[in-house]
Amino acid sequence: MAKTVGVGITGGIASYKIADLVSKLKTNDIDVIVMMTEGATHFISPLTFKTLSGREVATDLWSESLEYKVQHIGIAEQLDLLVIAPATANFIAKMAHGIADDLLSTVVVANTAPVLIVPAMNSNMFKNPIVQDNIKKLQSYGYQVMDPESGMLACGVVGQGRLPAVDDIYDRIISLLHPCSDMAGKRVLVNAGSTCEDIDPVRFIGNRGTGRMGYAIASEACARGAEVILVSGKTHLEPPANVKLVEVWSSQDMCDAMLKYQPVCDIIIGAAAVGDFRLAAIADQKIKKTDNGPQSVMLELVGTTDILKEMGKRKQENQIMVGFAAETENLLENARKKLKSKNLDFIVANDVTIEGAGFATETNVVTFISRDGEVVSLPKMLKEEVAAAILDRVVDLMQA
Ligand code: C5P
């Protein structure tokens, strides 16, 4: 049966690009109900969308509708997916606070279908912490949000805020309309983020791990129908909706949590940046600097437990384990050693000296090395795409 997508257009200059999106959806036999805020109608005429979608365009909460008894409820009931594109800062704020004061915002509140938000605005507006908080809040409710692209903006500024390419929005719509459920019934245990080792009550040793890779894996596994337990060290990221989040601080806390859940999980993915050293003894009181003279403090460090190695020893039959190897030299050789010593099914190796790979980047350049020696090198990809490639491989292994 044909799917119905609600396209909600709000008042940004990028609204003219949505004409192409609606046209592409219609060409591919997707029914489209276009809704526009008053602001959007100042940028592009509803007649354009009426012509392209072949349906009345909904703009007014108070107008009589021939098609629906109660317009906003009737529209919401028909939707398989609601897309808000472009989503302005104002409309995102209204969504985040449940405000329903016009046709589109009222449909948003009445809607029960998945929602895709495609923000587009000036880069300072996009970076504004209030806007970012509103986006995070919406993500915590399970709404999908596409990152705007960087480039020249209509206001003349160069920065992040452009509407993503219509083809990319279309692809995201298709994957949301036809979600893949190849991990349904599986329980996935992922660790992510960086661990912190206390020095004294106010100081700790951390590392550059941001959690982005592990959070992307958790989110992708959820989207594919898996039950996900995310054991997370330090990160600024919002956890994906629907995961069981276990927050930890030190490598020992992370190890305890991972070992606790290991027996009930089918797939284990170690994406955390686990500290390799901890303090031999944590000071009870804040270590004081001396008032004069050279400042020097000796800290004695001892090795932490290698979590994946411990889990590798306890690995059950049919349990799939994947680890990462971030290397600065001899990538393949070092990664192969880790694959073996941790008893993994495959390892995701990356040379962190390559631009666009490793910590604190949005992209990664990885090579998969399997137990049987197979080596597959992937091009530079967004970490979300790497997550999908890792899970494709896990699914292949499950079916083997
Ligand atoms: O040995 P190395 O730290 O490079 O191995 C990286 C892999 O091992 C990653 O998957 C990481 O999450 C995991 N690891 C671990 N426990 C440690 C150190 C790393 O599970 N103490």
Side-chain angles (χ1 to χ4, degrees):
M1 211 174 80
K3 299 277 186 185
T4 303
V5 173
V7 175
I9 306 170
T10 71
I13 178 64
S15 46
Y16 79 91
K17 298 181 182 172
I18 305 306
D20 276 345
L21 179 67
V22 171
S23 167
K24 184 155 185 181
L25 290 165
K26 282 296 290 176
T27 314
N28 287 282
D29 289 330
I30 294 169
D31 203 11
V32 183
I33 302 176
V34 177
M35 293 153 279
M36 299 174 76
T37 62
E38 201 215 322
T41 63
H42 290 287
F43 285 99
I44 182 164
S45 160
L47 182 60
T48 304
F49 291 105
K50 182 180 175 188
T51 312
L52 291 170
S53 69
R55 298 181 69 134
E56 286 302 325
V57 172
T59 55
D60 183 4
L61 184 59
W62 307 110
S63 67
E64 293 263 338
S65 164
L66 297 176
E67 201 174 344
Y68 309 101
K69 199 161 147 218
V70 180
Q71 190 184 202
H72 57 283
I73 305 296
I75 292 177
E77 279 172 352
Q78 282 200 295
L79 302 183
D80 295 300
L81 176 71
L82 174 59
V83 183
I84 308 295
T88 56
N90 175 54
F91 200 78
I92 288 169
K94 280 168 63 169
M95 288 179 82
H97 292 86
I99 293 173
D101 65 353
D102 64 3
L103 188 277
L104 180 57
S105 56
T106 311
V107 170
V108 168
V109 177
N111 168 61
T112 55
V115 178
L116 174 64
I117 301 169
V118 193
M121 64 194 75
N122 163 272
S123 53
N124 285 340
M125 292 176 78
F126 182 67
K127 281 189 288 194
N128 185 304
I130 305 174
V131 174
Q132 287 300 316
D133 278 351
N134 286 335
I135 289 176
K136 282 186 192 140
K137 187 169 175 194
L138 291 167
Q139 284 173 319
S140 75
Y141 292 131
Y143 291 9
Q144 301 283 312
V145 180
M146 285 183 82
D147 281 338
E149 286 182 0
S150 295
M152 174 64 88
L153 306 178
C155 53
V157 170
V158 175
Q160 189 183 13
R162 283 169 67 90
L163 192 84
V166 164
D167 285 350
D168 292 343
I169 303 173
Y170 175 81
D171 288 347
R172 191 70 172 264
I173 289 173
I174 297 303
S175 67
L176 286 167
L177 286 176
H178 304 283
C180 155
S181 57
D182 56 6
M183 297 190 84
K186 297 293 171 192
R187 201 178 278 140
V188 179
L189 176 60
V190 189
N191 66 11
S194 59
T195 59
C196 302
E197 305 303 335
D198 285 338
I199 297 172
D200 65 18
V202 297
R203 304 183 181 96
F204 63 86
I205 300 175
N207 65 58
R208 293 181 197 276
T210 59
R212 182 157 175 166
M213 190 64 248
Y215 272 52
I217 293 170
S219 170
E220 176 72 15
C222 254
R224 291 170 175 226
E227 190 188 326
V228 178
I229 303 172
L230 173 60
V231 176
S232 177
K234 196 169 161 51
T235 174
H236 293 298
L237 300 174
E238 280 295 304
N242 305 324
V243 304
K244 177 182 168 66
L245 179 71
V246 181
E247 287 176 287
V248 294
W249 178 251
S250 68
S251 61
Q252 191 55 52
D253 299 341
M254 185 173 271
C255 187
D256 294 344
M258 293 296 282
L259 291 177
K260 175 175 165 194
Y261 292 107
Q262 179 174 17
V264 294
C265 290
D266 305 289
I267 297 145
I268 293 153
I269 305 182
V274 187
D276 290 324
F277 301 100
R278 63 176 174 80
L279 273 288
I282 302 169
D284 290 338
Q285 306 297 333
K286 183 178 171 190
I287 299 170
K288 291 281 180 205
K289 61 182 180 192
T290 47
D291 284 339
N292 41 42
Q295 307 283 338
S296 100
V297 178
M298 297 289 285
L299 297 177
E300 189 189 345
L301 302 180
V302 292
T304 55
T305 309
D306 190 312
I307 303 172
L308 283 185
K309 205 176 214 172
E310 281 308 308
M311 297 179 89
K313 290 180 202 158
R314 295 165 168 76
K315 191 175 169 198
Q316 298 158 18
E317 214 183 318
N318 297 330
Q319 206 163 45
I320 293 173
M321 278 185 54
V322 183
F324 282 75
E327 303 295 338
T328 54
E329 57 183 349
N330 303 331
L331 179 69
L332 296 186
E333 194 188 323
N334 285 330
R336 275 194 196 102
K337 276 190 202 148
K338 286 177 191 173
L339 174 84
K340 248 189 156 164
S341 69
K342 298 175 200 239
N343 195 14
L344 304 173
D345 291 278
F346 72 95
I347 194 155
V348 183
N350 61 313
D351 180 341
V352 288
T353 63
I354 294 179
E355 204 201 316
F359 298 114
T361 61
E362 292 187 354
T363 52
N364 212 348
V365 185
V366 302
T367 300
F368 294 159
I369 306 171
S370 308
R371 252 176 201 290
D372 60 9
E374 190 196 6
V375 175
V376 178
S377 296
L378 302 181
K380 190 197 283 187
M381 290 172 154
L382 284 174
K383 285 187 174 166
E384 287 70 16
E385 292 167 335
V386 174
I390 291 170
L391 294 184
D392 283 346
R393 195 155 185 101
V394 166
V395 169
D396 284 349
L397 285 174
M398 280 177 349
Q399 288 162 353

